[in-house]
Amino acid sequence: MTLNPQKPRIFISADHGLAVVYFLQSDVVPTLLEAGAEVIVLSDDSLTEQLARRFGRPGLTFEGLRLAQARAYEQQHDREWQWWLGFLRRVGSSRRINTGATDSYIRQVMVESGNRRRLFLPLALLAVLALRHSRAARRALRRAQLRYTPGLYTDLFERYHPDLVVAATPGWRLDRYLLREAAARGIRTAAVVVGWDNPSSYSLPGAPVDWITCWSAIQKDELVLGSDWPPERVHIGGIPSYDGYFRRTWLIPREAYFRLHGLDPQRKLIAYACSFVSFSPNYQNVEALARLVASDALAEPAQLLVRLHPNHFWNVKLFRDEADKIRRLARELPHVHVVEPVPLGGELGHYSGEDMPEKASMMAHADVFTTVYSTMVVETAIHDRPIVSVCLDVPGGWNVPRKYSLPLSKIGNWPTHLRFRRSGAGKVALNERELAAALNHYLQNPQADHENRQRFIREEVTFTDGTAGRRTGEFLFSLLQRPAGGWE
């Protein structure tokens, strides 16, 4: 691409499949281009040509994000110090917000850490106590991170001279190295919140970031109260990734969708999206649902469609084995089917925009949608379908030494989970009796909790008219008129 020296240039870091959806499958990047910016998207090195073929247009360039080099620096340069900084950053938010999610991460680290790290855990827990009670301590931690700025992107900065660098997180992931280098050069920085639970699960910024845009007033409070963001630097823009749901852009007609998966059009569809795999097996939930549909024990003849989780495809034997058990269950029992998320490729994993039509149609055509407090409870509420969070415990969890397990009945007070419960947008089942009752209630009363679902999505995503991408793009473009700095 021939660069226009008169146009402002914006770097966008899309280091995750969800970030690709957020920026490229919404109106965010088109709005920036139409406003007169040139956009350079940095993503997985092996996918730049693929992304360029699919999304390329005048003014848009793709470059590699050098994730392998960033990971090598993380692993080889003061590895333990960087790890502890990351741990403290993740769990060090102020006690003024609900810390349920990060408290569980602390317990996970206590169980899964090797003997060497365990020696330092008492000191780390004292540091966490200080961070949660002291804004000065949190500021000191943010500053301490800056010594790890490797300069991996020097040639890109010198080639493009960007006016603004935008990332899918405020440095919670490897994007921290890009953001730190931008800040060191005096370049404006901004972040977006891609995930529903991100502000309450990942806490303090990993780099100096000037502005951030989030989904809702709820997330803004989490950022301001938990991570000391100045309120005037937090923008509420909604969630661009969901504009396609509101516009029904991705929807496959019901008949075609049922045909795609070999579903029976005469049977009600119960969908289950696996979730929370890192903390608990999902098989017990799937098995309970499968027994109910296979034995025709529900109020209506039904069938089950199970969506595996992206983590099922990690190189982790526990997760892969569970996926195989679910596939085997579908082969052995009638009316049980499995769908697998489609990978984008490279390091972006199975969190991908490649199957947005699949996700949208699964939710829209489900007579009852079930999961474990997944973000898909928000997405399904957009489609106004009944929702049940299935939280059946399994004794011992994963039952593997040094593998932390958390009973699903104990996670209801995590920030996003608690909001779902209080909203009345769906039901929670803690045992098979409650599960059957919840399914039967919604099968017989499909419009039940409609008003609660509508209120829930207004509170969680703010803009329900498909304009979040345009609003976010306009906000990011407006930052070109503002000075860099102000992180502290």
Side-chain angles (χ1 to χ4, degrees):
M1 182 188 78
T2 302
L3 297 173
N4 185 338
Q6 304 303 316
K7 288 190 172 186
R9 294 193 194 119
I10 300 173
F11 276 5
I12 289 180
S13 168
D15 66 340
H16 194 280
L18 294 179
V20 171
V21 180
Y22 186 103
F23 291 115
L24 294 171
Q25 291 186 247
S26 75
D27 290 335
V28 174
V29 166
T31 298
L32 292 170
L33 295 172
E34 290 163 11
E38 289 182 340
V39 177
I40 299 91
V41 173
L42 283 68
S43 193
D44 185 287
D45 295 68
S46 67
L47 298 178
T48 54
E49 292 185 6
Q50 176 182 331
L51 293 172
R53 285 194 300 271
R54 179 170 180 183
F55 299 107
R57 55 185 289 181
L60 180 59
T61 302
F62 291 87
E63 291 280 359
L65 193 49
R66 302 170 186 181
L67 294 174
Q69 293 96 314
R71 188 169 292 106
Y73 177 82
E74 176 190 50
Q75 295 295 315
Q76 298 168 13
H77 192 88
D78 288 350
R79 173 180 177 177
E80 285 301 301
W81 278 114
Q82 290 206 67
W83 189 90
W84 282 111
L85 285 170
F87 169 76
L88 294 174
R89 180 176 66 241
R90 180 166 178 175
V91 303
S93 62
S94 168
R95 61 176 180 163
R96 292 184 296 173
I97 66 168
N98 182 336
T99 60
T102 54
D103 291 344
S104 293
Y105 179 67
I106 291 173
R107 291 191 288 272
Q108 180 184 14
V109 168
M110 293 174 69
V111 170
E112 296 183 359
S113 290
N115 292 332
R116 182 178 177 184
R117 281 183 182 162
R118 287 188 180 199
L119 291 174
F120 294 97
L121 272 172
L123 288 175
L125 295 178
L126 287 175
V128 172
L129 188 64
L131 289 166
R132 291 190 170 180
H133 286 79
S134 169
R135 182 168 186 160
R138 295 190 293 272
R139 184 183 299 117
L141 174 64
R142 293 200 303 267
R143 287 173 174 166
Q145 303 174 108
L146 301 186
R147 63 183 294 187
Y148 299 107
T149 304
L152 299 175
Y153 307 97
T154 299
D155 60 318
L156 293 180
F157 280 108
E158 293 179 352
R159 184 188 316 164
Y160 291 105
H161 301 286
D163 301 282
L164 171 68
V165 176
V166 182
T169 82
W172 292 326
R173 294 163 56 84
L174 292 174
D175 54 7
R176 58 187 175 271
Y177 299 129
L178 175 70
L179 290 166
R180 289 175 193 171
E181 186 170 353
R185 291 171 172 268
I187 298 169
R188 303 170 185 87
T189 56
V192 305
V193 174
V194 171
W196 184 37
D197 66 342
N198 287 178
S200 60
S201 296
Y202 294 97
S203 296
L204 307 179
V209 178
D210 298 323
W211 299 277
I212 191 166
T213 180
C214 62
W215 297 23
S216 64
I218 296 170
Q219 286 192 344
K220 180 172 181 174
D221 283 346
E222 290 175 330
L223 292 164
V224 172
L225 298 177
S227 302
D228 307 317
W229 281 87
E232 67 275 11
R233 291 181 174 270
V234 181
H235 175 259
I236 299 172
I239 172 63
S241 309
Y242 294 174
D243 284 351
Y245 293 151
F246 288 112
R247 298 173 183 170
R248 304 181 75 80
T249 301
W250 297 305
L251 199 58
I252 302 171
R254 184 178 186 274
E255 182 179 345
Y257 184 72
F258 272 50
R259 190 166 56 246
L260 177 66
H261 293 296
L263 300 173
D264 185 345
Q266 303 305 313
R267 284 182 168 265
K268 301 292 186 180
L269 176 60
I270 297 171
Y272 179 82
C274 292
S275 180
F276 224 73
V277 174
S278 297
F279 286 108
S280 169
N282 271 225
Y283 185 76
Q284 71 279 6
N285 289 345
V286 176
E287 186 178 40
L289 289 164
R291 282 199 300 265
L292 288 171
V293 301
S295 61
D296 281 334
L298 296 172
E300 301 276 356
Q303 57 201 321
L304 175 65
L305 180 61
V306 181
R307 179 180 173 87
L308 298 180
H309 193 272
N311 291 10
H312 279 129
F313 301 88
W314 285 1
N315 189 26
V316 177
K317 187 176 187 301
L318 281 177
F319 303 163
R320 290 183 176 273
D321 285 353
E322 178 175 84
D324 287 340
K325 285 178 66 177
I326 293 171
R327 294 184 186 104
R328 184 162 58 250
L329 187 70
R331 291 194 296 269
E332 293 172 352
L333 292 181
H335 314 305
V336 180
H337 308 261
V338 175
V339 62
E340 304 190 3
V342 178
L344 182 60
E347 296 196 32
L348 302 188
H350 286 70
Y351 286 94
S352 164
E354 296 302 287
D355 64 348
M356 294 304 284
E358 167 61 45
K359 281 181 63 181
S361 303
M362 182 183 191
M363 292 182 284
H365 300 315
D367 292 282
V368 185
F369 189 89
T370 62
T371 185
V372 185
Y373 295 119
S374 162
T375 305
M376 292 182 78
V377 301
V378 180
E379 298 168 76
T380 303
I382 293 172
H383 291 88
D384 198 21
R385 306 309 302 149
I387 307 162
V388 179
S389 183
V390 188
C391 298
L392 277 58
D393 291 337
V394 57
W398 284 112
N399 277 313
V400 173
R402 291 281 180 94
K403 176 69 184 84
Y404 178 63
S405 294
L406 182 59
L408 296 179
S409 62
K410 304 297 183 184
I411 63 175
N413 287 323
W414 283 29
T416 51
H417 306 177
L418 184 60
R419 299 204 300 267
F420 171 75
R421 290 170 53 218
R422 287 176 171 172
S423 73
K427 297 187 179 301
V428 178
L430 300 179
N431 55 55
E432 291 194 36
R433 178 184 57 80
E434 292 180 358
L435 176 58
L439 293 173
N440 284 335
H441 174 74
Y442 283 134
L443 288 172
Q444 296 175 316
N445 304 278
Q447 290 304 309
D449 300 322
H450 161 78
E451 292 182 359
N452 291 339
R453 289 193 292 271
Q454 297 302 301
R455 183 173 60 252
F456 179 57
I457 61 172
R458 288 194 301 270
E459 292 174 349
E460 295 295 342
V461 308
T462 308
F463 301 109
T464 62
D465 56 357
T467 63
R470 176 181 57 78
R471 292 172 184 271
T472 299
E474 290 173 350
F475 166 72
L476 294 174
F477 189 81
S478 76
L479 300 181
L480 295 168
Q481 307 304 316
R482 307 185 196 183
W487 184 49
E488 293 295 330

